[in-house]
Amino acid sequence: MNCESAKLFAILFLTRAGTPGILWMNVSISTIVRESLGLAKTSRVGLSFTNSRAVLSSFCVVATIWLGGVDGTTLGLPSIMARSYALRGAFGMRDGTGQVTGENRKPKNVQVAIRAKWSGTPLLLEAGAEDSFLQPELFDFDHIHFEFKYCESGCYSLWSSWNDCFKEFHVNLVQAAKEGKVKYVVRPVLPSGCEEKVGLCGAVGATDSLNLGGYGVELALKNMEYKAMDDSMIKKGVTLEDPRTEDLSQEVRGFIFSKILERKPELTSEIMAFRDYLLSSTISETLDVWELKDLGHQTAQRIIHASDPLQSMQEINQNFPTVVSSLSRMKLNDSIKDEIIANQRMIPPGKSLMALNGALINIEDIDLYLLLDMIHQELSLADQFSKLKIPDNVIRKLLSTVPPPESNMVRIDFRSTHVHYLNNLEEDAMYKRWRSNLNEILMPVFPGQLRYIRKNLFHAVYVLDPATSCGLEVIEMITSLYENSFPMRFGVILYSTNFIKKIEISGGDLPASATKDDSKVEEDISSLIIRLFFHIKENHGTRSAFRFLSHINTLRMDSADSADDALEMHHVEGAFVDTVLPTAKSPPQDLLLKLENEQTFKEHAQDSAMFVFKLGLDKMQCCLLMNGLVYDSNEETLMNAMNEELLRIQEQVYYGQISSHTDILDKFLSESGINRYNPQIIVDAKVKPRFISLASSILGGESVLKDVNYLHSPETIDDLKPVTHLLAVDITSKKGIKLLREGIRFLIGGSKSARLGVLFSASEDADSSILLFLKAFEITASTYSHKKKVLDFLDQLCSFYEHRFILASPITSEITQAFIDKICEFAEANGLTSKAYRSSLPEYSAGEVRKHLNEVAQFLYSQLGLESDTNAVITNGRVMFPIDESNFLSHDLNLLESVEFKHRIKHIWEIIEEVNWQDIDVDPDMLTSKFVSDIIMVVSSSMAMRDRNSESARFEILSAEYSAIILNSENATIHIDAVIDPLSPSGQKLSPLLRVLQKYAKPSMRIVLNPLSFLVDLPLKNYYRYVLPTMDDFSSTDYTVNGPKAFFANMPLSKTLTMNLDVPEPWLVEPVIAIHDLDNILLENLGDTRTLQAVFELEALVLTGHCSEKDHEPPRGLQLILGTKSSPHLVDTLVMANLGYWQMKVFPGVWYLQLAPGRSSELYVLKEDGDASQGKSLSKRITINDLRGKVIHLEVMKKKSKEQEQLLVSADDDNQSQETKGNQNSWNSNFLKWASCFIGGTEQSIKGKTLVDHVKGERHGKTINIFSIASGHLYERFLKIMILSVLKNTHRPVKFWFIKNYLSPQFKDMIPHMAQHYGFEYELITYKWPTWLHKQKEKQRIIWAYKILFLDVIFPLSLEKVVFVDADQIVRADMGELYDMDIKGRPLAYTPFCDNNKDMDGYRFWRQGFWKEHLRGKPYHISALYVVDLKKFRQTAAGDNLRVVYETLSKDPNSLANLDQDLPNYAQHAVPIYSLPQEWLWCESWCGNATKSKAKTIDLCNNPMTKEPKLQGARRIVSEWPDLDLEARRFTAKILGDEVEVLETPAYPNQPQTSKSDSSSEEDLESKSEL
């Protein structure tokens, strides 16, 4: 790699997570933060930047190691709090230093940067503060030397600072770790002051902030219909020229300036000024219809014909308003248009797709860091496969292969005589009138309507114990459904739980007592019921047999003397008599006695139980097999399973794969049926199995896996084996021997595609019998594995060893010789010569065996974290720990082989099998079946580690002759297929990403352009830049890294622009330097300043997740808390019903997630690795160590005896509401205080301490919580006025809650001073828009959405009520009155729209059409002021309901025109609204002047009739507004040290008075003022 590539990849990979080789960057941490986190004063804090990927190996190696505090405390991972102001000078201070003069009309630029600096956060390690000998907690990124778990003199974890003497110390510790004397852990850190010692390369980012890349910036042309701009004086910034060289070869209004400059270089300044003028005057917001018609096709043509198509696409879609005029004048080539239209018959116009090596990428979520991870993943795999001698063309095939679809669809083949069907839809007389035409399944029906077709489409077979309440309830359910002609075939498989326990005890065989004909053996009640069922079925028919089971349940439920509805013998006897009596020829009691004594049908019952045991379904208790798919047994699950299966059947009927003559059950079970079910092997789609890569173990030098001697089924040793089972066996335990014997039996049963390797482990004090057994096993596997009866020999040897030595004391030399003799005897009996055993066993080296055991132990511990007493199965990299080794049978290995081969291995095996190894530089002696089997094992294990989409698309069906970009790269291991609409937001983002990939990763690309064929409006109304690191980020004079920035050159002067950021989903950013109003950018107001600048900070990352409860809806309202070990509650949130989604704000570090105290932890526990502790509260450890954030999947379960309790109350449950109100300690009040400094920044929650004593004394009573949102300088100006109007009308304490997403740095700097001066509290809050929720594209609509969509989760759980007040509202009454108002148990309270301004009747859309019908008499409310009872809002899941309605409506671009207002009004039938008295909100647009004098708040509503500017309307309508505005501006000027601007107030005729005279005169004055 050359120097330039190394530098660029360095900055690309700087903030990514990786494998070993961690560069720690030391930063300062405040004393306050240290104390809050429990950090010692002597501790240091560092940040992990991993850069050890293969691609960086030539760039920089940093190996600094640092010892923690003397008391044993160490190491925290810092936050992304970027509060360094070192770069302020570079970007401009408020005082406008650094200005230069220039012409006012000279084109202006915009520059944007996001920076990050790492400072103190939660600890990585919270150990040793109390006890310096406490072993610290280790993490995945720690480097554990040689991973020995055996330490002769104790285990230690050490860190050290880098100095001259440490090298020798380090070498000695490494050697001690090799010998197993210590566990040596290295966590590299860069302490403060050591930057020079590691070089400038290693110290990047250790002191100053870093500018990040990997985000987009948009400057959108803003709709200025209502002219909402501040008229305050424009602040001045600094001048900054475009750091990049502009491409002058691009045509501008018909001129190519590169050629003009070549001809007239002496006129360079004049020519460039002319170019600037043309650029600034070519902005188009609209085109005529005929110009728009072929704009997409013309764009595609310009891109395809360019010398660099990717660069052309980027320049067009990122500067579209400037270039659209020239595009519309291009002459169109019909071949391009025809091909695009032809392709759009197969893909929707405007649709964008992208696939990396065949796997689809979610374009909505793609960002630089995710794409780099995916690219690196593919390159790493290609490198591994190349080392395995796999040819390049085969590597490309392997990387592009996609697992077969529906790979998680596994059916249990239950076809046998043990299934007892109640009905048959195709043969029974009761279904004769039903139609038999299978095509009717495709006919549309009403939701919930059943299809009555005379065909066995659905086989619902229940596996149950008839003596359990669950089993009898299932019988009752299917009997009822059958009697009601439910269109489904029902059946049962019966078993006895007690008998299966006996089978387990006997090792999976029939118990000895079962084979004896002993009538005195006590029989359990289940077996009796099954035998009686068989008798009735044989003599009286199937329906009578099911009636017998139903009678048992009836008698059980009717019995008054049975405890807990327990089944008793007399219930069974009574049911038998009732069933048989109508047709009995002799007394049924005599027959019953005879059947009980003679044990009739005993073998049938035992065979049925054995069948269930072999299927593996006994652990499910009661379960449903829907055409072989496994479900729970309740009725709701039955209906869901039927509907899911219906879709699959409909699809196959539609494509002709199922006809009227098809036996559907046979078809499904023959295609995907298996003979064993194990929930550990067949996991739920939500649970990802654990995988490890075996590549390093095979490609490394000395490896345990290289020495494994594999066992094979008889006569298959020379066959290729795609499946490899590695058994990790604890040879000292009975469970370990059981697992080993099951593995041997698996091979004896015959497997043509699997081999078996054994990794033995034992404690260090293993006696000689164990070592002797291991040596004998090794000799057998290495010498006799080709022998036909070698497996029988090993089975006998294991059996003898188990019975003779497992529980025996250390053996003597005489017994050792007897053991050797026994081994030889077994060998001779199975056709193996005993010579090898007699010569090797007496003189074997115990030290060699122990050494091998240590090597295996090291491998298992480093790869799996396995302790010596653990058993495991590793199948081509998939790791499984049998929950109960005694029940893990050879059938489970068959199942594991079948599942893994079908889902992960088969397609890899087919590709590897095609390789002609003779043509490759491989030693001929190595070309054995073991060599190829090892390759398949390594490749499948490595590819299982890939985190990528399993979906693919057939890009090859799209034509690519005229309308595609084809970039071929020789021997490229990465191929990108894409379909892109170049005039779309996706195209804006993808074009720069594809350019940087094409430049540095050299992939092959096939990009089909897919623009919209018919346009009615401009597709893009914005400028866009995607910020990527480039070589310009590196200084040419020193080692400084400036970092990337977004630069917009030659922007239009007279257009109002608004800035938006397109950042990766986990990022929370905020502006920290922005002198100008980023919401209303008008560059002509900059004056002499050439460049408008803005700097944002990466404030924090978002931790998101999904919470589920098995077989239930997500536990909505479940409360979660997040913190450190010392401070467990720093952040809290709620689980939404929508996908069980939850979100928290975090910094890099180690966190612990758990259920919140109170109702949540009383009802639920976290399930950890499939288990849940009922006695203790579990927490989940989460490590945040990169910029990608984390998505966490949680599973919870109800505690015992709490299964029927509800977490939330229903909306109409008033009694429960009152009870909850009286016991609020169990709901919210027991929560710890909200930790403001962690949630919203260092200045997020400030309690204002007034400097005026009388103000301080006047504030008393219950705090009023007021919530508002503002964007842009004008609305921040309104917001200050609203704050003052609230404070001047109440004596109670007030706390304001502001959504910080859109607040300017000036406002956030000013608000603490305002809070202190006026005596109020405030808090800045935020919530990241969930990825699954349909996102708005316009900034204004996003702001509207934040007013209503996240009310249940954006506030701390301790807050119970809040009042929303629009920023442009003026309050004239005490808000405490509204805050205390009883809103009658409703979650929301709004003011209805006024109806007494008759001039606006034509605009009252809710009085007619859709809205009139939908509201059904309910009022339509205005959203400028509303009350939220957060307690009721959360309890009734109102937020979830609103989000569901929003998701449904928002996808229609014509709905929710006024999102924040339409949504609650539309949903008020589900989320009830209390209508506030009309006096609480008055606005001139809708209300008559007669009611203005009574108004308690005045809102500056937009007037759709006059479209009057906001400021003009404020001064005219509200008499006190100018005074409040002047006070707010004076205060702001005082804080900033500026002079107060004197704004001219227009004189309005007949300015309205505030005196409360009679309403008629008031109305007259107001009417005149309007004129």
Side-chain angles (χ1 to χ4, degrees), residues 243-367:
R244 301 175 302 173
T245 302
E246 296 187 61
D247 184 7
L248 301 178
S249 63
Q250 292 296 310
E251 179 257 354
V252 179
R253 299 290 291 271
F255 296 97
I256 300 177
F257 283 88
S258 58
K259 294 184 178 180
I260 298 175
L261 288 171
E262 287 175 8
R263 296 171 184 173
K264 297 289 183 180
E266 69 277 8
L267 299 176
T268 298
S269 59
E270 290 85 350
I271 292 170
M272 292 302 294
F274 177 56
R275 181 176 182 270
D276 289 342
Y277 169 77
L278 291 180
L279 285 170
S280 64
S281 61
T282 56
I283 309 305
S284 299
E285 290 188 64
T286 59
L287 289 177
D288 292 321
V289 175
W290 56 88
E291 294 178 297
L292 282 169
K293 185 178 67 169
D294 289 323
L295 189 59
H297 301 144
Q298 291 165 320
T299 302
Q301 179 173 310
R302 168 78 66 88
I303 293 168
I304 297 300
H305 291 167
S307 57
D308 186 342
L310 290 178
Q311 180 183 352
S312 176
M313 178 162 63
Q314 179 178 345
E315 290 176 349
I316 288 172
N317 59 30
Q318 296 197 354
N319 300 284
F320 185 71
T322 300
V323 301
V324 62
S325 295
S326 63
L327 284 172
S328 65
R329 294 193 297 269
M330 281 184 60
K331 183 178 179 181
L332 182 63
N333 186 335
D334 288 338
S335 58
I336 292 179
K337 180 177 180 179
D338 293 342
E339 184 172 275
I340 290 174
I341 292 174
N343 283 338
Q344 289 176 347
R345 296 190 186 104
M346 292 169 279
I347 187 168
K351 176 76 172 178
S352 293
L353 292 173
M354 180 173 166
L356 176 64
N357 280 345
L360 285 176
I361 299 173
N362 187 345
I363 290 179
E364 299 298 322
D365 297 338
I366 194 67
D367 59 61

Side-chain angles (χ1 to χ4, degrees), residues 1137-1250:
N1138 319 104
L1139 305 177
Y1141 179 83
W1142 54 270
Q1143 174 189 124
M1144 294 183 185
K1145 190 164 141 184
V1146 295
F1147 313 129
V1150 176
W1151 300 82
Y1152 295 88
L1153 180 69
Q1154 56 189 317
L1155 300 180
R1159 186 73 174 165
S1160 297
S1161 56
E1162 288 171 5
L1163 294 187
Y1164 287 92
V1165 289
L1166 286 179
K1167 289 186 71 175
E1168 191 72 28
D1169 297 327
D1171 192 15
S1173 172
Q1174 298 286 346
K1176 64 177 183 178
S1177 176
L1178 293 175
S1179 63
K1180 187 177 184 69
R1181 190 178 77 180
I1182 298 168
T1183 303
I1184 306 293
N1185 59 352
D1186 61 21
L1187 293 181
R1188 291 273 310 282
K1190 284 277 172 63
V1191 178
I1192 305 297
H1193 294 276
L1194 290 178
E1195 187 174 358
V1196 297
M1197 63 179 292
K1198 288 271 184 74
K1199 290 183 177 180
K1200 289 182 179 178
S1201 75
K1202 304 282 187 180
E1203 291 84 358
Q1204 304 305 319
E1205 293 192 31
Q1206 297 298 315
L1207 183 64
L1208 301 180
V1209 298
S1210 60
D1212 54 354
D1213 191 353
D1214 293 332
N1215 294 331
Q1216 182 65 36
S1217 176
Q1218 294 301 321
E1219 181 182 340
T1220 307
K1221 189 174 181 180
N1223 295 281
Q1224 49 187 309
N1225 287 336
S1226 65
W1227 179 253
N1228 277 326
S1229 300
N1230 60 353
F1231 279 94
L1232 301 175
K1233 262 195 167 181
W1234 183 257
S1236 302
C1237 61
F1238 286 99
I1239 304 308
T1242 55
E1243 297 177 345
Q1244 184 214 21
S1245 181
I1246 306 274
K1247 183 171 183 178
K1249 295 184 178 179
T1250 179

Side-chain angles (χ1 to χ4, degrees), residues 323-592:
V323 301
V324 62
S325 295
S326 63
L327 284 172
S328 65
R329 294 193 297 269
M330 281 184 60
K331 183 178 179 181
L332 182 63
N333 186 335
D334 288 338
S335 58
I336 292 179
K337 180 177 180 179
D338 293 342
E339 184 172 275
I340 290 174
I341 292 174
N343 283 338
Q344 289 176 347
R345 296 190 186 104
M346 292 169 279
I347 187 168
K351 176 76 172 178
S352 293
L353 292 173
M354 180 173 166
L356 176 64
N357 280 345
L360 285 176
I361 299 173
N362 187 345
I363 290 179
E364 299 298 322
D365 297 338
I366 194 67
D367 59 61
L368 173 67
Y369 304 99
L370 177 60
L371 194 58
L372 285 176
D373 275 340
M374 300 171 103
I375 293 291
H376 178 262
Q377 186 176 248
E378 302 298 301
L379 291 175
S380 298
L381 286 174
D383 184 53
Q384 291 176 13
F385 298 164
S386 179
K387 292 176 181 177
L388 291 170
K389 307 293 185 181
I390 299 176
D392 289 344
N393 63 323
V394 177
I395 291 176
R396 286 192 289 273
K397 276 187 183 179
L398 287 170
L399 294 178
S400 299
T401 187
V402 177
E406 292 246 7
S407 58
N408 58 345
M409 187 66 62
V410 176
R411 299 177 187 268
I412 308 303
D413 190 349
F414 60 87
R415 291 173 292 180
S416 75
T417 57
H418 301 293
V419 183
H420 309 283
Y421 285 108
L422 173 60
N423 60 335
N424 188 327
L425 276 66
E426 297 176 8
E427 297 178 3
D428 292 353
M430 64 184 293
Y431 307 111
K432 275 187 178 180
R433 294 188 178 183
W434 292 9
R435 297 185 179 183
S436 57
N437 184 3
L438 190 58
N439 288 325
E440 290 197 7
I441 200 172
L442 301 176
M443 299 296 289
V445 297
F446 291 107
Q449 183 178 344
L450 300 174
R451 292 172 171 83
Y452 293 92
I453 301 173
R454 195 177 183 191
K455 181 79 176 168
N456 291 322
L457 301 175
F458 309 103
H459 296 73
V461 175
Y462 287 88
V463 182
L464 53 90
D465 182 339
T468 62
S469 58
C470 171
L472 292 173
E473 287 167 2
V474 166
I475 295 292
E476 194 71 35
M477 178 185 72
I478 64 176
T479 303
S480 174
L481 291 172
Y482 164 73
E483 291 172 351
N484 286 281
S485 299
F486 195 78
M488 185 176 290
R489 191 180 192 194
F490 295 104
V492 295
I493 303 175
L494 305 176
Y495 70 91
S496 165
T497 304
N498 290 337
F499 187 76
I500 284 185
K501 288 179 180 177
K502 295 177 182 178
I503 296 175
E504 293 173 353
I505 293 171
S506 62
D509 300 319
L510 282 174
S513 60
T515 59
K516 298 178 182 178
D517 188 14
D518 186 359
S519 59
K520 295 182 180 179
V521 176
E522 185 177 349
E523 183 181 31
D524 66 277
I525 194 168
S526 299
S527 297
L528 175 61
I529 294 173
I530 296 171
R531 291 196 302 107
L532 295 177
F533 177 88
F534 286 145
H535 171 82
I536 296 173
K537 180 184 177 183
E538 185 173 292
N539 293 277
H540 303 275
T542 302
R543 289 172 181 74
S544 296
F546 276 89
R547 201 176 303 118
F548 160 64
L549 297 179
S550 182
H551 283 341
I552 295 176
N553 189 53
T554 302
L555 293 174
R556 178 181 71 93
M557 298 302 294
D558 293 343
S559 178
D561 56 348
S562 65
D564 300 326
D565 295 328
L567 184 65
E568 298 178 2
M569 185 62 75
H570 66 87
H571 299 146
V572 179
E573 294 171 344
F576 180 81
V577 171
D578 291 344
T579 304
V580 175
L581 185 60
T583 58
K585 297 179 180 179
S586 60
Q589 292 84 353
D590 297 341
L591 178 59
L592 175 63

Side-chain angles (χ1 to χ4, degrees), residues 676-719:
R676 173 80 172 168
Y677 178 78
N678 186 327
Q680 273 194 287
I681 297 172
I682 306 170
V683 296
D684 188 89
K686 299 176 183 177
V687 180
K688 186 176 180 181
R690 180 181 175 187
F691 293 100
I692 60 168
S693 173
L694 300 174
S696 59
S697 303
I698 293 294
L699 296 173
E702 298 179 4
S703 171
V704 170
L705 292 186
K706 286 185 176 180
D707 300 330
V708 172
N709 294 302
Y710 292 98
L711 300 173
H712 306 260
S713 290
E715 300 179 355
T716 65
I717 189 171
D718 294 325
D719 297 343

Side-chain angles (χ1 to χ4, degrees), residues 1492-1504:
K1492 182 178 179 181
S1493 61
K1494 300 177 182 178
K1496 295 186 175 181
T1497 68
I1498 296 178
D1499 187 68
L1500 302 176
C1501 302
N1502 290 325
N1503 191 319

